[in-house]
């Protein structure tokens, strides 16, 4: 027999060889190492690809940035070159405006010299400061001279306000601040003079009552009214205070009958300087009710007149309403009995509502409030206003100052190379304004309330402010957009657009685009239509050659845009240019461009000032 054979691993049928535990562990280890190597290589490849992708992205970004920067620089260089090419035009225009304004000022100064007014003109700051100082050296002891003084002060204040408005037109922020300060000082001066006379009158009121049985004093001058009721009689049945001398009546609650108080009423034809933080504004001046304390009477002892030293000798004790009672809590607002007041709207007020709103001035919040003023009745024929109020404060007929915004449409059509007519359509009215060399005037609607000044040719903002005081407010500001649907355009862009489009006024109808309101703050749209003959101008609605300009801060570009389309779709036809004079070159008649280039500078400046005062792009369609 031969040697014994070792038993073979695996089964007898040739199956896989069974591995020992160590062999299995070794095999698993080798497999893990293999997969780790695969994973490591894959991770290396992934990281390498990421590095390459980042490098590629950086390179692409660098190339894109260099390309963009090169394009931006080329654009800036091109626009700079265009602006430089316009420098001669701008310099000529500036010199023309200075010359024309100097001539206008010389004529105005000569006219004032011939009129030789006793009041200082607000443009003369030295005379204005002297007036402010001298007027604080004394006070009026009678109501009639006081009324003359107050009217004089507010006439000077109106002059300061109109200079402030012209400074705003020119963008002179420093000048605006100076004249707003003058206006505030003049208003404060008027209050001081009124309070000094009031304190003097109250101090002497005991004498008037003792000698003449007089406790009511009234004065009226133009539309200004002032009245005092001093409760010396202490009549428990007294309720109705009728003051026909100043067209005012009051129905007083019984608390006044025995109270040691005086009531001062004043209807001043000056609106507050401070703008209300809500959307209300006053029209027709303010109607002020002051409840004041009466100083103690003088005593005569052995031919000596003895006055008790009191703050009311030089100042006032403002009691207010409801009248406080010692030992009693202030009544709840609902428990305060209202004061009945009847007064009349001034004849220069344009009142568009069937029934006016009346509010009171909240000094703390700086807004016009309407709570506490009820039962408002208005008789249109007599312009009589009747109210019930628990507020013995500054009252006024108020209206919503944004009711004319946003504008529905506007256009400026040339009537000559030095004149144009603007048509402005608002939600309430359609206005027609003539524009001339440095002046504007309203042609329509014709308001009988404003005939005293409607035909005057004055700077745009002065005209708009005068009508605002009458109830036609067309001077929006950025904060008004909070109360309506409007897109406030970038300030620099809107000023540039108004200036640049105004150049076209001698030869083109300039008009609004309905798509302007849908664009963001960095774009403005203007439509232009050539007018070869102002006597027979083409119409925007029928013409097929209306051009649209898209304005950005860079300049203007011609665009293809339909006003009849249902949605906004614009295609720029040209690149942006520094001025429409360049954007239109080759796209309009040479004769039209020549009119634009030679247009009267003061006329186009007035078009610009009116357009920006109205804020046509922020508050237009």
């Amino acid at each position: 027999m031969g040697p014994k054979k070792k038993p073979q691993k695996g089964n007898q049928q040739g199956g896989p060889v069974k591995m020992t535990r160590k062999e299995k562990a070794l095999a698993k280890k080798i497999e893990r190492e293999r997969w780790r190597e695969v994973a490591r290589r894959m991770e290396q490849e992934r990281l390498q690809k990421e590095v390459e992708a980042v490098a590629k992205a950086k390179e692409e970004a660098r190339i894109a940035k260099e390309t963009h920067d090169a394009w931006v620089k080329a654009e800036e260089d091109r626009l700079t070159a265009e602006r430089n090419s316009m420098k001669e035009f701008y310099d000529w225009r500036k010199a023309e405006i200075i010359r024309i304004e100097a001539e206008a000022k010389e004529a105005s100064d000569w006219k004032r010299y011939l009129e030789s007014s006793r009041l200082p003109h607000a443009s003369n700051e030295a005379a204005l400061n002297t007036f402010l100082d001298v007027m604080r050296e004394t006070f009026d002891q009678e109501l009639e001279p006081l009324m003359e003084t107050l009217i004089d002060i507010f006439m000077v204040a109106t002059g300061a306000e109109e200079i402030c408005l012209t400074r705003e037109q020119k963008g002179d922020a420093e000048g605006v601040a100076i004249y707003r300060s003058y206006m505030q000082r003049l208003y404060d001066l008027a209050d001081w003079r009124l309070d000094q006379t009031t304190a003097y009158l109250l101090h002497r009121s005991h004498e008037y009552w003792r000698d003449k049985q007089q406790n009511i004093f009234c004065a009226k001058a133009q539309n200004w009214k002032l009245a005092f009721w001093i409760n010396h009689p202490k009549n428990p049945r007294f309720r109705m205070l009728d003051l026909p001398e100043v067209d005012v009546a009051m129905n007083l609650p019984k608390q006044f009958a025995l109270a040691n108080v005086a009531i001062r009423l004043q209807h001043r034809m000056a609106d507050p300087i401070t703008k209300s933080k809500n959307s209300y504004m006053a029209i027709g001046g303010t109607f002020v009710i002051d409840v004041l304390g009466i100083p103690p009477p003088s005593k005569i002892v052995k031919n000596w007149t003895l006055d008790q030293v009191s703050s009311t000798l030089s100042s006032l004790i403002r009691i207010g309403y409801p009248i406080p009672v010692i030992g009693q809590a202030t009544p709840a607002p609902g428990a305060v009995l209202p004061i009945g007041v009847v007064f009349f709207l001034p004849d220069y007020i344009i009142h568009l509502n069937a029934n006016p709103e009346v509010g009171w001035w909240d000094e703390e919040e700086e807004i016009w409030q309407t709570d506490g003023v009820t039962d408002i009745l208005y008789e249109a024929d007599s312009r009589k206003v009747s109210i019930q109020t628990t507020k013995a404060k500054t009252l006024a007929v108020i209206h919503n100052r944004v009711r004319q915004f946003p504008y529905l449409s506007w256009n400026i059509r040339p009537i000559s190379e030095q004149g144009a007519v603007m048509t402005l359509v608002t939600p309430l009215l359609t206005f027609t304004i003539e524009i001339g060399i440095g002046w504007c005037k309203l042609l329509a609607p014709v308001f009988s309330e404003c005939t005293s000044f409607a035909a005057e040719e004055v700077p745009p903002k002065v005209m708009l402010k005068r009508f605002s005081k009458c109830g036609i407010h067309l001077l929006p500001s950025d904060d008004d957009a909070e109360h309506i649907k409007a897109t406030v355009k970038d300030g620099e862009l809107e000023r540039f657009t108004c200036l640049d489009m105004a150049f076209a006024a001698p030869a083109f109808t300039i008009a609004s685009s309905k798509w302007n309101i849908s664009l963001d703050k960095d774009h403005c749209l203007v439509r232009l239509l050539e007018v070869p003959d102002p006597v027979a101008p083409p119409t925007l609605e029928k013409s097929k050659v209306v051009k649209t300009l898209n304005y950005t801060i860079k300049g203007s570009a011609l665009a293809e845009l339909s006003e009849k389309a249902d949605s906004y779709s614009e295609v720029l036809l040209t690149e942006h240019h520094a001025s429409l004079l360049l954007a239109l070159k080759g796209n309009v008649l040479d004769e039209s461009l020549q009119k634009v280039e030679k247009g009267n500078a003061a006329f186009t400046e007035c078009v610009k000032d009116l357009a920006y005062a109205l804020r046509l792009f922020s508050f237009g369609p």
Side-chain angles (χ1 to χ4, degrees):
M1 293 181 62
K4 292 183 179 180
K5 294 182 179 179
K6 291 183 179 180
Q8 294 182 353
K9 293 180 179 179
N11 56 31
Q12 297 297 324
Q13 287 76 26
V17 179
K18 290 185 69 174
M19 292 187 293
T20 65
R21 185 177 298 174
K22 287 183 178 181
E23 289 173 334
K24 288 180 180 180
L26 180 62
K28 288 181 179 180
K29 182 178 179 182
I30 293 171
E31 185 69 9
R32 284 196 299 271
E33 290 296 329
R34 186 175 71 83
W35 282 110
R36 284 196 188 100
E37 180 64 18
V38 171
R40 185 182 65 78
R41 289 178 181 176
M42 291 178 66
E43 180 65 12
Q44 282 183 338
E45 291 176 2
R46 186 186 67 79
L47 292 174
Q48 182 63 28
K49 288 179 180 179
E50 281 189 359
V51 170
E52 291 174 356
V54 169
K56 182 180 179 181
K58 285 183 178 180
E59 181 65 13
E60 289 175 349
R62 182 187 66 79
I63 294 172
K65 184 177 183 304
E66 288 180 355
T67 303
H68 179 265
D69 290 347
W71 177 82
V72 169
K73 186 177 185 307
E75 276 290 282
E76 289 178 351
D77 291 344
R78 180 181 65 81
L79 290 170
T80 299
E82 288 189 352
R83 294 187 187 103
N84 290 337
S85 71
M86 295 286 296
K87 186 176 184 303
E88 184 178 350
F89 171 78
Y90 285 124
D91 289 346
W92 165 81
R93 187 174 179 277
K94 182 178 179 180
E96 277 293 289
I97 291 172
I98 292 173
R99 180 185 64 79
I100 294 170
E101 288 182 348
E103 291 176 356
K105 183 179 184 302
E106 184 178 354
S108 177
D109 290 345
W110 178 248
K111 181 181 178 182
R112 284 201 306 273
Y113 174 77
L114 294 178
E115 291 173 349
S116 61
S117 172
R118 58 189 175 79
L119 297 176
H121 192 265
S123 61
N124 187 338
E125 290 192 52
L128 188 54
N129 282 308
T130 300
F131 177 79
L132 285 162
D133 292 338
V134 169
M135 291 294 281
R136 282 193 178 266
E137 293 176 357
T138 184
F139 68 92
D140 302 291
Q141 297 183 1
E142 302 291 338
L143 294 190
E144 286 74 13
L146 170 64
M147 295 297 285
E148 293 178 5
T149 298
L150 294 177
I151 291 174
D152 285 349
I153 291 172
F154 281 104
M155 283 182 65
V156 177
T158 298
E161 180 182 48
E162 294 192 349
I163 290 178
C164 183
L165 292 169
T166 57
R167 297 293 175 92
E168 281 184 342
Q169 281 185 181
K170 296 179 181 298
D172 180 6
E174 183 179 354
V176 169
I178 289 171
Y179 275 92
R180 280 185 179 163
S181 174
Y182 279 130
M183 289 168 61
Q184 187 62 61
R185 289 172 64 189
L186 287 161
Y187 272 62
D188 292 343
L189 172 63
D191 290 337
W192 182 84
R193 293 285 296 228
L194 175 62
D195 286 349
Q196 291 296 305
T197 302
T198 300
Y200 178 80
L201 176 62
L202 291 178
H203 180 64
R204 293 198 59 192
S205 65
H206 297 279
E207 177 185 337
Y208 286 118
W209 177 247
R210 182 180 65 244
D211 298 342
K212 302 179 182 179
Q213 294 292 291
Q214 182 181 3
N215 71 318
I216 294 177
F217 305 86
C218 299
K220 180 179 179 181
Q222 300 175 25
N223 282 314
W224 293 68
K225 301 166 186 177
L226 179 63
F228 291 86
W229 172 75
I230 306 169
N231 191 21
H232 288 309
K234 306 293 191 299
N235 181 355
R237 297 180 179 275
F238 183 78
R239 294 289 183 275
M240 179 58 68
L241 176 59
D242 192 11
L243 304 169
E245 300 92 336
V246 290
D247 302 319
V248 174
M250 297 182 71
N251 190 354
L252 300 175
K254 62 181 180 180
Q255 188 183 18
F256 282 91
L258 299 176
N260 191 44
V261 298
I263 294 178
R264 180 178 69 182
L265 304 173
Q266 53 170 321
H267 196 172
R268 57 165 62 181
M269 298 300 105
D271 299 327
I273 294 179
T274 306
K275 181 180 178 180
S276 179
K277 292 180 180 178
N278 59 16
S279 64
Y280 283 119
M281 67 176 290
I283 56 172
T286 53
F287 188 87
V288 186
I289 304 174
D290 292 309
V291 181
L292 308 171
I294 303 175
S298 302
K299 293 182 180 179
I300 300 177
V301 180
K302 295 183 179 180
N303 296 325
W304 287 84
T305 301
L306 304 179
D307 285 321
Q308 181 177 332
V309 177
S310 168
S311 61
T312 55
L313 291 176
S314 58
S315 61
L316 303 176
I317 297 177
R318 301 178 188 275
I319 294 177
Y321 181 75
I323 300 169
V325 179
I326 297 175
Q328 294 185 13
T330 303
V336 178
L337 294 175
I339 303 170
V341 182
V342 176
F343 61 96
F344 290 81
L345 272 181
D347 54 10
Y348 67 84
I349 294 302
I350 303 165
H351 182 60
L352 301 178
N353 296 341
N355 213 37
E357 289 186 90
V358 178
W360 57 276
W361 181 248
D362 187 331
E363 292 186 0
E364 292 184 2
E365 298 294 330
E366 294 186 343
I367 60 173
W368 287 106
Q369 303 274 22
T370 56
D371 62 294
V373 182
T374 59
D375 300 329
I376 302 171
L377 298 176
Y378 178 61
E379 298 177 14
D381 293 340
S382 62
R383 304 174 75 87
K384 183 170 77 172
V385 180
S386 304
I387 65 170
Q388 296 286 320
T389 180
T390 57
K391 306 294 182 180
K393 296 177 179 289
T394 298
L395 303 169
V397 173
I398 57 176
H399 69 182
N400 193 331
R401 67 173 180 267
V402 299
R403 60 183 179 169
Q404 302 278 4
F405 315 129
Y407 309 125
L408 303 182
S409 68
W410 58 266
N411 68 74
I412 302 170
R413 174 178 57 82
I415 55 176
S416 71
E417 292 183 24
Q418 298 183 354
V421 169
M422 168 184 275
T423 301
L424 178 69
V425 182
T426 77
L428 298 180
L429 296 167
T430 297
F431 298 91
T432 305
I433 301 170
E434 184 177 356
I435 309 170
I437 300 175
W439 56 264
C440 294
K441 68 177 179 181
L442 183 69
L443 300 180
V446 176
F447 297 109
S448 59
E449 297 89 344
C450 306
T451 52
S452 61
F453 66 82
E456 290 186 29
E457 299 173 350
V458 293
K461 266 207 163 182
V462 173
M463 179 198 71
L464 294 174
K465 187 65 175 180
R466 289 181 179 181
F467 279 99
S468 176
K469 291 181 178 181
C470 294
I472 303 298
H473 184 68
L474 296 171
L475 281 169
S477 56
D478 288 354
D479 54 350
D480 291 331
E482 300 171 6
H483 310 291
I484 59 170
K485 181 184 178 182
T487 301
V488 177
K489 303 295 183 178
D490 175 80
E492 185 180 352
L493 170 63
E494 188 164 15
R495 280 189 292 271
F496 168 68
T497 304
C498 291
L499 169 65
D500 196 59
M501 76 168 193
F503 297 156
F508 293 81
T509 292
I510 310 167
S512 59
S513 168
K514 73 174 187 179
W515 300 113
N516 176 74
I517 196 171
S518 64
L519 299 185
D520 62 22
K521 67 181 182 66
D522 297 318
H523 292 82
C524 295
L525 291 178
V526 179
R527 291 188 296 152
L528 296 178
L529 175 61
E530 281 185 85
V531 181
D533 182 6
V535 177
T539 61
L540 287 162
E541 294 75 16
K542 296 181 179 180
S543 177
K544 296 182 179 180
V545 291
V546 177
K547 301 187 183 304
T548 301
L549 285 174
N550 180 313
Y551 277 91
T552 68
I553 199 62
K554 292 194 302 182
S556 58
L558 281 172
E560 184 177 323
L561 182 63
S562 173
E563 292 291 305
K564 297 179 180 179
D566 295 328
S567 60
Y568 175 76
S569 178
E570 178 190 60
V571 177
L572 292 183
L573 302 176
T574 66
E575 56 193 355
H576 281 84
H577 291 279
S579 172
L580 62 73
L581 278 78
L582 301 173
L584 294 178
K585 190 168 290 187
N587 294 290
V588 297
L589 296 174
D590 291 340
E591 292 82 353
S592 297
L593 277 181
Q594 289 173 6
K595 289 181 183 179
V596 170
E597 291 170 353
K598 296 178 180 179
N600 184 285
F603 163 57
T604 57
E605 182 76 0
C606 192
V607 173
K608 180 265 290 184
D609 289 340
L610 178 61
Y612 190 68
L614 292 167
R615 302 294 300 278
L616 292 179
F617 296 97
S618 290
F619 292 86

